Amino acid sequence: MCLLPDGAEHAARRTTIEIRDGRIAGLHEPDAAPAAAPGDRVIDGRRHLVASGFVNCHTHSPDNLIRGSAPDLPLELWSLHSAAGREERSPREITVAALLGAIEMLRTGTTTVLDHIRMSPHPTPEGLEAVAQAYAAIGIRAVIAPIVADKPIVQTLPLDPDDIPPNGGGSYGRAPLMPWTEQLAIVEAFVRRWHGGEGGRITAAIGPSGPQRCSDPLLAAAAELSERHDIVLHAHVLETRAQRAMGFRLWGKGMVRSLAERGILSPRANLVHFIWLEDGDLDLVARHGAAVVHNPVSNARLGSGICRLPEMLARGLRIGLGTDSACCNDSNNLLETAKWASMVHANTTPDHADWVGPYRAHALATRGGADVLGLGSVTGRIEAGLAADLVLYRLDAPAFVPLIDPVRQLVHAENGASVDTVLVAGEVVLENGRCTRLDEVALWQEAEDLARRRLEANRSIYAAASELSGPVQRMIRRLQGEDAR
């Protein structure tokens, strides 16, 4: 039984899927399917639900090695702790972290991911090569967006002079970063090497951390690189109160208006989280064709707020879903994210006609996400001509017995436990619930060893970062008080 596009929703019906050269060559009635040629592989999906693979539009793979290490804190305080845990990673640590996330995603039905990869203190050619090689090795479809930023932490937060005593806060968060010109040169070399690699499975993007973390020349250069190579520009935008406040402090106006005036908004732009908006922001986004990436689980975990998703859908904005980091979610399971997207916004409007629901959530997690990442003509649907990025869920599983509404049951009841087989570009990369290209058990043991050694090695960095916690906490409380007034 296949979930096929059917107007605004999906229809489930028995279909034979013909795959040639990694793409869906045809969809046939079971009795009218062409006979298999010698050497063809036939997968018996009669007791499975076959669906398009999910598209995870936002995660940070290095955080897979620090899962569970960060306490429940608002984003700015959480960042002080989590950032310390990813300092000075070796290429092997970067590889293992990416593989950990890819295994989890494949096992829960995700076939495409955007990795907003953060390397501290700055991107390196070796690190970017390591993450690309990891995704190429496991076979998942990946968009790799190296994070660039050129402002120290203390310059990115709306801290008042009295927040930090002259000798307080230590040196953490104050050191200058690599010049933006050098960062962009590293990213452009990566784009030239990897964009379209592995038969199109690997594509590149540019990932400014957030407008308040980048100088104006860096933002302008990132936008120019995005336009010149026709790649996604992916950035955290208006995730918290503090980010909204920094927009006014830096530019004297709302952040979205400033981005629009400087030519940063475009159909290639991804605005990630996008919670603390001004009047007119949604009109600007719609006018420029930019896209929004919704991360409801991490938004709740960090207390960041609730995205205005129903309004965005009503305006026809392009929207995808993301898990965010495994250190602030705490998983890479997009099924969980889709369930949250389906349900949480029912608390924000009394009119149930505006609720998102499982059908729209499923669309956002598949074809919506593919469109956001510039892959709408490649993946996101079971349709002739598109890549065979498919997931087979066992129907003899609790989520699907009795089988009454496949989409509702997939989004609201399934958690990945019934995922049996996953294909990316027609290749079986997960079979009987296990990755076909690597030894999962050996990787998990290596990850345990690397994570424990890194946590021990970074104790002094954690201590230095904690010295900023008091000033940042005072800043958060002040902003909350200003909102209350």
Side-chain angles (χ1 to χ4, degrees), residues 128-445:
L128 293 179
E129 181 71 14
V131 74
Q133 291 286 0
Y135 289 130
I138 199 167
I140 198 169
R141 191 178 301 280
V143 182
I144 302 170
I147 286 182
V148 292
D150 61 346
K151 290 184 180 181
I153 292 172
V154 294
Q155 294 180 22
T156 69
L157 299 171
L159 298 166
D160 288 343
D162 293 340
D163 286 328
I164 303 180
N167 297 319
S171 62
Y172 185 82
R174 298 173 182 267
L177 303 181
M178 175 187 281
W180 69 263
T181 51
E182 296 179 29
Q183 295 186 52
L184 263 291
I186 290 171
V187 174
E188 182 152 24
F190 175 75
V191 172
R192 293 184 185 281
R193 167 156 166 69
W194 278 100
H195 187 57
E198 294 296 300
R201 288 195 207 194
I202 307 293
T203 53
I206 177 70
S209 180
Q212 76 283 1
R213 299 168 192 154
C214 301
S215 65
D216 287 348
L218 171 53
L219 275 179
E224 189 276 333
L225 187 148
S226 168
E227 180 177 15
R228 181 156 40 88
H229 290 282
D230 192 23
I231 58 176
V232 163
L233 185 149
H234 188 88
H236 303 99
V237 177
L238 295 172
E239 184 175 358
T240 65
R241 290 180 177 90
Q243 292 179 19
R244 175 180 180 271
M246 276 305 293
F248 283 97
R249 182 171 291 197
L250 288 169
W251 304 297
K253 63 187 69 171
M255 189 176 288
V256 176
R257 180 180 165 195
S258 175
L259 293 174
E261 290 176 354
R262 289 180 292 154
I264 309 299
L265 294 187
S266 78
R268 296 177 300 279
N270 289 181
L271 311 179
V272 184
H273 297 287
F274 207 54
I275 298 170
W276 292 86
L277 312 183
E278 308 302 319
D279 291 342
D281 281 355
L282 295 183
D283 291 333
L284 284 170
V285 172
R287 189 177 310 148
H288 290 86
V292 174
V293 178
H294 181 36
N295 302 266
V297 180
S298 69
N299 292 344
R301 161 80 145 83
L302 300 171
S304 298
I306 298 179
C307 174
R308 289 157 55 178
L309 182 61
E311 285 183 65
M312 296 176 186
L313 290 170
R315 290 170 181 258
L317 298 190
R318 298 162 52 227
I319 299 167
L321 301 181
T323 59
D324 209 349
S325 149
C327 191
C328 68
N329 179 304
D330 297 58
S331 85
N332 292 290
N333 187 343
L334 203 73
L335 273 165
E336 179 185 60
T337 296
K339 182 173 182 176
W340 276 66
S342 169
M343 293 182 171
V344 71
H345 303 283
N347 295 306
T348 66
T349 173
D351 188 348
H352 65 271
D354 294 331
W355 293 0
V356 177
Y359 288 92
R360 282 198 284 188
H362 184 265
L364 298 181
T366 51
R367 64 180 184 265
D371 175 65
V372 164
L373 301 186
L375 298 174
S377 62
V378 176
T379 190
R381 305 181 305 285
I382 299 179
E383 185 176 297
L386 297 191
D389 295 351
L390 307 171
V391 181
L392 279 69
Y393 300 87
R394 294 188 307 275
L395 289 176
D396 57 349
F400 298 116
V401 179
L403 185 63
I404 295 174
D405 186 330
V407 173
R408 181 176 300 278
Q409 289 170 248
L410 175 61
V411 172
H412 284 178
E414 173 55 18
N415 59 12
S418 71
V419 172
D420 179 78
T421 302
V422 175
L423 293 80
V424 177
E427 178 190 349
V428 174
V429 294
L430 190 91
E431 190 168 21
N432 297 321
R434 295 288 186 271
C435 291
T436 61
R437 288 189 173 196
L438 55 78
D439 182 340
E440 296 178 352
V441 175
L443 183 79
W444 289 329
Q445 183 59 59

Side-chain angles (χ1 to χ4, degrees), residues 18-244:
E18 180 186 359
I19 299 171
R20 301 289 177 193
D21 300 321
R23 294 188 173 271
I24 299 171
L27 302 173
H28 309 284
E29 294 297 324
D31 296 335
D40 284 351
R41 178 176 180 181
V42 177
I43 299 175
D44 185 352
R46 284 175 294 182
R47 290 301 303 160
H48 294 81
L49 178 68
V50 184
S52 183
F54 289 125
V55 179
N56 185 352
C57 291
H58 184 68
T59 192
H60 304 284
S61 67
D63 288 4
N64 293 319
L65 275 180
I66 54 173
R67 184 200 300 260
S69 67
D72 298 324
L73 294 168
L75 175 73
E76 284 75 23
L77 289 169
W78 172 89
S79 293
L80 292 176
H81 195 284
S82 64
R86 67 176 80 90
E87 292 281 344
E88 302 291 351
R89 291 282 181 86
S90 70
R92 185 57 189 172
E93 288 173 300
I94 291 168
T95 295
V96 170
L99 290 173
L100 280 178
I103 290 172
E104 183 180 4
M105 285 184 278
L106 290 174
R107 280 175 160 232
T108 52
T110 288
T111 54
T112 300
V113 59
L114 183 139
D115 189 353
H116 199 201
I117 184 164
R118 181 186 291 110
M119 298 178 189
S120 298
H122 51 73
T124 65
E126 299 79 12
L128 293 179
E129 181 71 14
V131 74
Q133 291 286 0
Y135 289 130
I138 199 167
I140 198 169
R141 191 178 301 280
V143 182
I144 302 170
I147 286 182
V148 292
D150 61 346
K151 290 184 180 181
I153 292 172
V154 294
Q155 294 180 22
T156 69
L157 299 171
L159 298 166
D160 288 343
D162 293 340
D163 286 328
I164 303 180
N167 297 319
S171 62
Y172 185 82
R174 298 173 182 267
L177 303 181
M178 175 187 281
W180 69 263
T181 51
E182 296 179 29
Q183 295 186 52
L184 263 291
I186 290 171
V187 174
E188 182 152 24
F190 175 75
V191 172
R192 293 184 185 281
R193 167 156 166 69
W194 278 100
H195 187 57
E198 294 296 300
R201 288 195 207 194
I202 307 293
T203 53
I206 177 70
S209 180
Q212 76 283 1
R213 299 168 192 154
C214 301
S215 65
D216 287 348
L218 171 53
L219 275 179
E224 189 276 333
L225 187 148
S226 168
E227 180 177 15
R228 181 156 40 88
H229 290 282
D230 192 23
I231 58 176
V232 163
L233 185 149
H234 188 88
H236 303 99
V237 177
L238 295 172
E239 184 175 358
T240 65
R241 290 180 177 90
Q243 292 179 19
R244 175 180 180 271

